[in-house]
């Protein structure tokens, strides 16, 4: 039996298999409002056969957007735009739905990727960014304002309000974005956090604000909703955040009631040197899983069915998440199930597509036509 296609529980949320669709920014919103692109994009991914779909990074405040086209959830209007998309997916697919709540910090105010992705200066239509310290992401970029106590409280409250809207939408899980060089990661890393108060310096202090945000979000939604964190396990820069600190952070999150940890890496500095290759981040997930016992999602150039199967069968991660591979092949779980001799969910409208050699791929099906 394929381990990849066995059920698994992340806290209160039971997954039909071990395949997740990682959050992928679409840069297609209007002032944070979801568009018809989101209906099309998320709708077809919901039919993929994966067990859980993470909606893209959704900004908890306007200045927290990576780009002017980022999805947002900082008002009831934003939630209302997502509601019919969520309802459509619920009508037609059993997939679990999660949202990634995010604040970009000093990496905000950027062009969309297909326009270069560079920092947009304030004089060119960008906005003032904020961060733990007044250090830009790269030389020549907007210098962020160092957050004071009032600013920290405002952002923490914005995460809480976004979490409550996410719960009201009927989503199954929330993932806090503490990876890829965005605000919560900026607090964790000594490369971006040079504060001298209770939120800077020692590891305990650098973890403090992300842990406060997590605790506030966990308390804001019922226990029936899973809450987890995506982290960068290493900055890939000497003197930066590393796997040892990540294990400690994950242990603190576990003690605070986190239901899962989603392990990625990098993003804090242009000086990073990442040895990219198949499964290049899975070793980090394996160590965090082994030392915390927390349900762990592994990610990073996972493209092949047997590769994914081996990761979960070895216990390196409980769930594998795909992003680019899922965009390239939105039926990746179907093809993986066929290759591994497993079953996968498919909508009845698509049952006719089941190849003759895989008679049990979609489970018991009944088709008739006059």
């Amino acid at each position: 039996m394929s381990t990849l296609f066995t059920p698994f529980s992340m806290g209160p949320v039971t997954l039909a298999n071990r395949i997740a669709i990682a959050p992928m920014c679409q840069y297609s919103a209007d002032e944070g409002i979801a568009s018809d692109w989101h209906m099309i994009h998320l709708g077809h991914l919901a039919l993929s056969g994966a067990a859980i779909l993470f909606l893209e990074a959704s900004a908890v405040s306007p200045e927290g957007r990576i780009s002017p086209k980022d999805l947002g959830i900082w008002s009831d209007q934003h939630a209302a735009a997502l509601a019919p998309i969520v309802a459509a997916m619920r009508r037609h697919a059993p997939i679990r739905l999660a949202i990634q709540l995010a604040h970009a910090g000093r990496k905000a105010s950027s062009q969309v990727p297909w326009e270069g992705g560079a920092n947009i200066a304030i004089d060119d239509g960008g906005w003032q960014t904020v961060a733990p310290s007044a250090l830009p992401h790269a030389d020549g970029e907007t210098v962020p304002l160092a957050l004071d106590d009032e600013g920290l409280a405002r952002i923490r409250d914005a995460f809480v309000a976004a979490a409550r809207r996410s719960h009201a939408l009927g989503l199954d899980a929330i993932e806090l974005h503490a990876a890829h060089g965005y605000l919560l990661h900026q607090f964790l890393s000594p490369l971006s956090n040079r504060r001298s108060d209770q939120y800077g310096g020692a590891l305990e202090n650098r973890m403090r604000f992300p842990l406060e945000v997590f605790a506030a979000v966990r308390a804001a939604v019922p226990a029936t909703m899973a809450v987890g964190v995506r982290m960068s396990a290493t900055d890939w820069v000497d003197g930066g955040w590393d796997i040892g600190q990540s294990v400690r952070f994950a242990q603190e999150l576990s003690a605070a009631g986190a239901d899962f940890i989603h392990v990625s890496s990098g993003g804090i500095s242009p000086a990073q040197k990442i040895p990219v290759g198949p499964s290049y981040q899975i070793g980090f997930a394996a160590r965090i899983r082994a030392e915390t016992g927390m349900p762990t999602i592994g990610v990073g150039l996972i493209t092949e069915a047997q590769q994914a199967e081996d990761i979960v069968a070895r216990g390196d991660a409980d769930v594998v998440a795909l992003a680019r591979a899922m965009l390239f092949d939105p039926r990746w779980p179907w093809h993986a199930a066929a290759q591994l001799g497993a079953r996968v969910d498919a909508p009845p409208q698509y049952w006719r597509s089941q190849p003759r050699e895989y008679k049990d791929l979609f489970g018991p099906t009944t088709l008739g036509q006059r």
Side-chain angles (χ1 to χ4, degrees):
M1 178 181 292
S2 166
T3 306
L4 188 64
F5 286 91
T6 56
F8 181 74
S9 293
M10 297 196 309
V13 176
T14 298
L15 307 181
N17 57 53
R18 312 296 188 93
I19 303 170
I21 301 177
M24 294 176 279
C25 290
Q26 295 298 293
Y27 308 100
S28 299
D30 182 10
E31 295 298 326
I33 300 293
S35 67
D36 53 5
W37 174 258
H38 293 92
M39 177 69 83
I40 296 168
H41 166 70
L42 294 171
H44 87 273
L45 290 180
L47 302 176
S48 67
I52 185 167
L53 166 60
F54 286 86
L55 277 64
E56 68 194 81
S58 301
V60 300
S61 60
E63 87 282 352
R65 293 172 293 167
I66 303 166
S67 80
K69 302 298 287 184
D70 276 30
L71 191 65
I73 192 165
W74 65 80
S75 78
D76 291 345
Q77 184 181 6
H78 293 87
L82 282 170
I85 299 172
V86 171
M89 290 190 286
R90 291 292 193 209
R91 280 194 299 271
H92 298 292
I95 195 167
R96 296 291 198 166
L97 300 175
I99 190 170
Q100 186 183 67
L101 300 183
H103 190 297
R106 69 182 189 176
K107 288 181 76 173
S109 190
S110 301
Q111 294 175 334
V112 299
W114 48 86
E115 294 177 0
N119 172 242
I120 305 173
I122 295 173
D123 290 344
D124 295 329
W127 58 88
Q128 179 62 60
T129 57
V130 297
S133 304
L135 299 170
H137 176 69
D139 291 343
E141 295 189 354
T142 301
V143 176
L145 296 178
L147 287 159
D148 58 15
D149 288 346
E150 181 180 352
L152 292 173
R154 176 177 54 80
I155 289 173
R156 184 176 60 245
D157 292 348
F159 271 98
V160 167
R164 288 176 174 150
R165 292 187 189 101
S166 300
H167 176 254
L169 279 169
L171 301 178
D172 299 298
I174 289 170
E175 177 177 276
L176 298 185
H177 201 351
H180 302 163
Y182 300 124
L183 183 67
L184 298 183
H185 183 186
Q186 291 162 27
F187 272 90
L188 295 170
S189 176
L191 300 178
S192 49
N193 184 344
R194 304 290 176 82
R195 298 173 75 98
S196 58
D197 63 1
Q198 63 178 332
Y199 294 105
L203 175 60
E204 291 79 4
N205 288 349
R206 286 183 279 116
M207 292 190 297
R208 190 183 307 276
F209 185 63
L211 288 172
E212 287 179 355
V213 171
F214 175 83
V217 167
R218 177 67 280 180
V221 298
T224 52
M225 190 176 202
V227 181
V229 174
R230 190 170 199 185
M231 69 158 65
S232 280
T234 177
D235 289 341
W236 299 108
V237 179
D238 289 343
W241 183 255
D242 57 28
I243 182 59
Q245 296 173 86
S246 293
V247 169
R248 175 69 185 283
F249 182 45
Q251 289 169 338
E252 294 291 329
L253 288 168
S254 181
D259 293 304
F260 64 91
I261 193 81
H262 190 166
V263 184
S264 189
S265 70
I268 200 72
S269 169
Q272 66 186 12
K273 291 181 171 56
I274 304 178
V276 176
S279 304
Y280 71 102
Q281 297 171 147
I282 292 300
F284 301 133
R287 179 170 169 184
I288 289 170
R289 181 180 184 271
E291 297 194 31
T292 67
M294 194 188 312
T296 304
I297 303 174
V299 66
L301 277 184
I302 301 169
T303 58
E304 306 303 318
Q306 192 61 53
Q307 176 192 12
E309 172 70 19
D310 292 345
I311 288 167
V312 295
R314 286 194 306 263
D316 290 344
D318 298 295
V319 175
V320 293
L322 285 77
R324 292 172 178 85
M326 196 69 71
L327 291 184
F328 189 72
D329 179 6
R331 300 291 178 265
W332 190 95
W334 293 13
H335 302 147
Q339 181 177 333
L340 297 170
R343 285 181 178 179
V344 68
D345 179 79
Q349 294 92 332
Y350 288 178
W351 284 353
R352 287 178 296 173
S353 72
Q354 180 174 267
R356 292 181 181 273
E357 64 269 30
Y358 302 116
K359 297 186 183 302
D360 197 41
L361 178 62
F362 297 154
T365 60
T366 302
L367 288 172
Q369 190 172 4
R370 292 182 63 189

